[in-house]
Amino acid sequence: MADDVNEVADEEEIESSEALIAVHWREEEYYDPPAALAAVANASDPAIRDQFTEDKFPDCFTAYADLLTWYKRWDTVLDTSNAPFWKWFVGGELNASYNCVDRHMETHPNKAALIWLPEPESEAHQAITYRELYVRVNEFAAVLKGLGLKAGDRITFHMPMVPELPVAMLAAARLGIIHSQVFAGFSGTAAGHRIADSGSTVLVTMDGYYRSGDLLDHKVKADEAVEAAAREGQRVDKVLVFRRYPGQYSAGTPMVDGRDVFVDDLLAEHKGEIVEPAALKATDPLFLMYTSGTTGRPKGCQHSIGGYMAYVAGTSKYYQDIHPDDTYWCMADIGWITGHSYIVYGPLALGTTSVIYEGTPNYPDAGRPWRIAQQLGVNIFHTSPTAIRMLRKVGPDEPAKYNYHFKTMTTVGEPIEPEVWRWYYTTVGKHEAAITDTWWQTETGGFLGSTLPGIDKMKPGSCGPAALGIYPVILDEDANEVPAGSGKAGNICIRAPWPGVFQTIWGQPERFVSTYYAKYNKDPESKDWHDWPYFAGDGALQAADGYFRILGRVDDVINVAGHRLGTKELESAALTVEEVAEAAAVPVVDDVRGRVVEMYVSLKPGVEGSADVENKVRIAIETDIGKIARPKNIWIVPDMPKTRSGKIMRRVIAATSNFTDTGDITTLANPEVVEKIREQVQSAKRAKGEVPRELSETEAHEIKTFGSES
Ligand code: WTA
């Protein structure tokens, strides 16, 4: 009897806790790693896990650091004295550019480091050997040096997917200049905010690039970026403009006298110059990568040279199974962390051939990726669930028409539905490739959860066990451990630091601690890492077999096609429109892009809703953030559902947009508005044929709890 009472009490507690849900997940079937791969993979012996058990922490990670060439070996593997600002390989000195370029130039100079495919199929691909890469990196480093840039300075790149981008990154890294690459699809204004936040005085861009058949004017964004930065008090002295076609200007926007310079002109002045790589501290920053969070201000995640390079080299070796003679193609954009870690730094540190593709995957048709794979002999393929869903939708039978063979394939950035996973495995991988579903984040530098492709069984929809040397735990809101196999979800945390973890948020160390470590920290004075679990901001559950299933963000971040968009950023963009009084952004489940954004706005008294206001909101979002953030719908509503303290209940409008149950609304200050909004939005969506299918359990959970953090 007493037990029964306790059980009821427990259940009530579970009900009331947003992050902890009692769920009845369907377990998926296992797939064996391909036998051919198991025999030759870099990690082929399960005993590799014994080298990374907790009793061997942190020294286990020297195996990763030993993949690099060091000028000076470290004295201390992990210094925790300024917790949670972990320092890896303290006392060590190295150079990322040397590790990705020079050392391979010495051993295999004529091997392709990069193969670039322009989007137009009429343009030939370009293979850039390690020797050529060496020359180009040195010359561009000479350009940067000539501008007076030095170690510790920041430089912003707003570059498309062209080889000039890794060249520029490696040139900056050579000198210790901290680079911040902003995704080219982001607007000029978004680039401007990031220039200002990082304090960059030089912007590197390109006149134009191809996207879905159009040669876009990209230079125009540089002008907007410089202006936006100036509004925040940051002056940009120089804008370096690469030309998509050297010697010919592809943009319509004029060059600004004294400020804008063509890079090909500058390079001509530094032809053949060599810039020795600087011996930099392992703990010096390599780059900043901006990402969204719960406030409007993006977070510049600062990554170190030594720890980051060691981690991406190690995980590229064991999880991507990169061997020097592979042809590796990651379709992500270098403007995201995936491209930094697994197009540029990881693969090049291992001296392999990394493919870069300029355009959209389905241009001119859905066979393009498979044609590229066949043409170049790509044997490792890496992409996102959104790209897989899209290619499946537009060309489900295309892969069979091409003669390529992948040994491993990666998926990253969002949860992948088991059904989509199976198409990837069967049709794209032709039953012969291992899939690694890699769970990680901008902040984490590299993979945290994944199967080892030559060893572990795969399970669709689960990323697999923790990566080597990573010790996750799922905690409930009261910091109790949620046991594996309990069928319950909670907040996934990582108990111990790892070399790839970011060092801080640029210029916001308090936010670094409060966002990622404060939640489960027991003693802010503690210098023992055991007291500082890393809070990833994702909901997850662990099956009895130890495999993790990632459910998605628990904060106010909307993951659109693998791109993190903060609700506050979207809302502040909408609020720049004069007529708008209040704005709320919510996710809507989408069969291709995972989630898309819907915006709700209410207008100032006396202002009438119109297509014109709607359009202004759309333009404001595209201008401030970029086209990727364009809302699917903008709903002008009479009022927002609010709590008595005036907080907008995003979960209620999210439920409206997704046709799910709005849950308990009795605590609202204005419950009557919920019905009005539902009527307005859902009838409009019905008329447009936008009634969604029934949501899966994980999707429904996300919508139900959306915005509960704020
Ligand atoms: C989500 C991308 C499920 C997750 C590398 C995380 C995933 C956020 C996976 C980070 C995966 C990433 N399965 N969800 N395999 N990988 N995510 O910073 O919510 O762009 O927190 O880094 O994407 O996105 P970010």
Side-chain angles (χ1 to χ4, degrees):
M1 179 69 195
D3 277 343
D4 283 348
V5 171
N6 280 341
E7 244 177 69
V8 171
D10 281 346
E11 259 174 43
E12 274 168 3
E13 219 174 286
I14 289 162
E15 284 287 317
S16 65
S17 163
E18 302 265 31
L20 188 66
I21 40 168
V23 278
H24 313 283
W25 309 99
R26 205 192 104 180
E27 274 295 305
E28 303 292 335
E29 72 286 14
Y30 291 106
Y31 289 73
D32 284 325
L37 178 72
V40 297
N42 284 327
S44 55
D45 181 354
I48 190 170
R49 287 221 159 78
D50 302 341
Q51 296 162 34
F52 287 87
T53 49
E54 204 170 326
D55 55 312
K56 306 205 176 66
F57 179 87
D59 292 355
C60 53
F61 282 116
T62 58
Y64 285 5
D66 282 334
L67 297 172
L68 305 172
T69 306
W70 295 75
Y71 297 123
K72 182 173 171 286
R73 217 177 153 77
W74 54 89
D75 309 310
T76 310
V77 175
L78 172 64
D79 172 356
T80 63
S81 60
N82 187 23
F85 299 87
W86 316 123
K87 294 195 187 78
W88 282 90
F89 307 119
V90 180
E93 286 177 10
L94 77 167
N95 187 287
S97 182
Y98 177 84
N99 274 283
C100 291
V101 186
D102 304 44
R103 63 179 183 152
H104 309 306
M105 211 272 294
E106 288 155 15
T107 53
H108 42 265
N110 292 321
K111 177 177 151 176
L114 302 170
I115 302 180
W116 178 58
L117 286 121
E119 190 188 71
E121 278 190 295
S122 56
E123 288 183 24
H125 68 263
Q126 288 178 20
I128 299 167
T129 65
Y130 274 97
R131 177 187 292 284
E132 286 166 330
L133 184 62
Y134 174 80
V135 171
R136 288 172 71 163
V137 167
N138 272 285
E139 288 178 353
F140 195 65
V143 167
L144 298 180
K145 205 172 159 184
L147 293 173
L149 291 168
K150 53 183 192 323
D153 290 346
R154 278 80 56 212
I155 187 166
T156 297
F157 304 149
H158 196 201
M159 292 284 289
M161 284 290 282
V162 289
E164 286 80 358
L165 173 52
V167 165
M169 290 161 68
L170 293 163
R174 207 167 180 81
L175 295 163
I177 301 164
I178 305 166
H179 61 74
S180 163
Q181 153 69 7
V182 178
F183 172 54
F186 271 145
S187 66
T189 309
H193 292 317
R194 289 156 178 78
I195 289 171
D197 192 86
S198 63
S200 300
T201 54
V202 175
L203 169 65
V204 183
T205 188
M206 191 168 235
D207 55 354
Y209 65 100
Y210 280 98
R211 223 40 216 171
S212 302
D214 297 323
L215 181 58
L216 306 180
D217 180 346
H218 187 59
K219 159 66 167 61
V220 63
K221 290 188 177 176
D223 300 335
E224 291 161 9
V226 171
E227 259 179 52
R231 283 197 296 274
E232 295 181 39
Q234 179 64 42
R235 194 186 135 90
V236 174
D237 300 323
K238 281 278 173 272
V239 177
L240 308 189
V241 184
F242 277 105
R243 285 193 269 199
R244 174 64 174 72
Y245 298 99
Q248 166 187 336
Y249 189 43
S250 301
T253 348
M255 296 286 278
V256 175
D257 224 19
R259 187 196 75 185
D260 299 354
V261 203
F262 289 126
V263 180
D264 41 343
D265 289 345
L266 283 177
L267 284 171
E269 294 167 19
H270 295 280
K271 211 159 179 44
E273 272 179 42
I274 299 296
V275 176
E276 285 309 320
L280 300 161
K281 285 199 214 121
T283 52
D284 284 343
L286 178 60
F287 66 84
L288 308 179
M289 171 61 66
Y290 280 88
T291 192
S292 299
T294 31
T295 75
R297 182 174 172 195
K299 303 180 275 194
C301 296
Q302 177 185 315
H303 283 282
S304 70
I305 304 174
Y308 173 83
M309 286 300 295
Y311 199 66
V312 297
T315 49
S316 292
K317 177 166 178 177
Y318 294 119
Y319 288 92
Q320 306 279 268
D321 195 44
I322 290 179
H323 291 71
D325 53 355
D326 286 326
T327 302
Y328 166 89
W329 181 22
C330 171
M331 238 174 28
D333 197 288
I334 300 177
W336 307 114
I337 192 67
T338 301
H340 275 48
S341 301
Y342 299 113
I343 296 177
V344 181
Y345 287 114
L348 295 185
L350 297 181
T352 198
T353 299
S354 185
V355 175
I356 298 178
Y357 172 55
E358 177 180 34
T360 39
N362 58 337
Y363 187 83
D365 56 67
R368 187 72 192 275
W370 324 126
R371 264 201 305 287
I372 292 174
Q374 173 181 295
Q375 180 192 354
L376 301 182
V378 171
N379 66 339
I380 306 179
F381 183 69
H382 187 155
T383 192
S384 66
T386 288
I388 302 168
R389 286 184 212 112
M390 196 251 292
L391 291 165
R392 174 176 179 239
K393 193 171 166 189
V394 295
D397 306 322
E398 286 303 303
K401 298 179 188 161
Y402 297 92
N403 182 20
Y404 64 82
H405 296 278
F406 296 150
K407 63 167 180 173
T408 59
M409 304 192 300
T410 296
T411 158
V412 61
E414 324 149 54
I416 184 165
E417 300 75 9
E419 194 195 332
V420 178
W421 190 100
R422 283 189 278 268
W423 182 78
Y424 196 34
Y425 180 78
T426 308
T427 306
V428 178
K430 307 177 178 184
H431 294 101
E432 57 188 17
I435 295 183
T436 48
D437 177 350
T438 57
W439 169 68
W440 59 297
Q441 312 175 300
T442 302
E443 294 86 340
T444 71
F447 308 145
L448 295 180
S450 171
T451 48
L452 281 162
I455 297 178
D456 298 325
K457 287 180 191 301
M458 301 164 260
K459 190 163 74 171
S462 296
C463 68
L468 297 169
I470 302 294
Y471 316 114
V473 61
I474 296 180
L475 300 176
D476 69 13
E477 287 299 315
D478 304 320
N480 300 312
E481 207 170 315
V482 180
S486 65
K488 288 177 190 148
N491 295 313
I492 188 163
C493 296
I494 312 296
R495 289 192 293 110
W498 65 98
V501 69
F502 71 140
Q503 298 178 292
T504 187
I505 302 175
W506 180 261
Q508 305 179 70
E510 312 78 26
R511 189 176 177 194
F512 170 76
V513 179
S514 65
T515 308
Y516 299 98
Y517 293 100
K519 189 170 175 88
Y520 293 117
N521 170 246
K522 287 177 215 88
D523 170 14
E525 299 304 315
S526 172
K527 301 195 183 318
D528 179 349
W529 61 257
H530 293 87
D531 293 328
W532 295 93
Y534 168 81
F535 173 68
D538 276 327
L541 83 163
Q542 191 178 24
D545 58 14
Y547 279 31
F548 291 95
R549 179 155 168 172
I550 305 299
L551 307 180
R553 306 290 311 177
V554 297
D555 56 9
D556 288 348
V557 169
I558 305 178
N559 191 338
V560 178
H563 307 153
R564 281 163 62 174
L565 301 173
T567 51
K568 289 274 178 357
E569 276 169 86
L570 292 154
E571 290 160 7
S572 25
L575 287 167
T576 61
V577 175
E578 213 195 317
E579 291 88 344
V580 172
E582 285 177 314
V586 294
V588 173
V589 172
D590 182 272
D591 279 334
V592 173
R593 287 181 290 167
R595 303 288 178 273
V596 290
V597 174
E598 283 199 4
M599 244 4 253
Y600 284 69
V601 295
S602 67
L603 304 181
K604 289 182 182 154
V607 182
E608 284 292 307
S610 65
D612 182 46
V613 176
E614 233 178 87
N615 211 29
K616 280 190 189 167
V617 171
R618 188 167 289 118
I619 291 170
I621 290 171
E622 285 184 20
T623 312
D624 237 37
I625 305 170
K627 287 209 168 67
I628 52 161
R630 181 193 293 169
K632 177 164 181 150
N633 287 300
I634 294 163
W635 305 112
I636 300 177
V637 293
D639 196 5
M640 300 280 184
K642 286 188 201 124
T643 60
R644 298 215 171 92
S645 58
K647 204 174 84 173
I648 300 176
M649 293 298 279
R650 291 198 190 81
R651 66 170 175 81
V652 173
I653 45 185
T656 304
S657 276
N658 287 282
F659 288 73
T660 53
D661 179 15
T662 43
D664 180 17
I665 53 166
T666 52
T667 55
L668 294 190
N670 52 354
E672 70 292 344
V673 82
V674 176
E675 193 44 47
K676 264 195 226 160
I677 295 178
R678 180 163 45 210
E679 181 53 36
Q680 174 194 348
V681 169
Q682 296 189 345
S683 60
K685 286 180 84 126
R686 274 197 196 94
K688 297 208 284 174
E690 288 182 11
V691 180
R693 58 169 168 74
E694 200 184 317
L695 303 195
S696 73
E697 204 164 357
T698 45
E699 290 163 345
H701 173 68
E702 178 190 320
I703 300 305
K704 191 173 157 201
T705 55
F706 188 74
S708 51
E709 283 283 300
S710 64

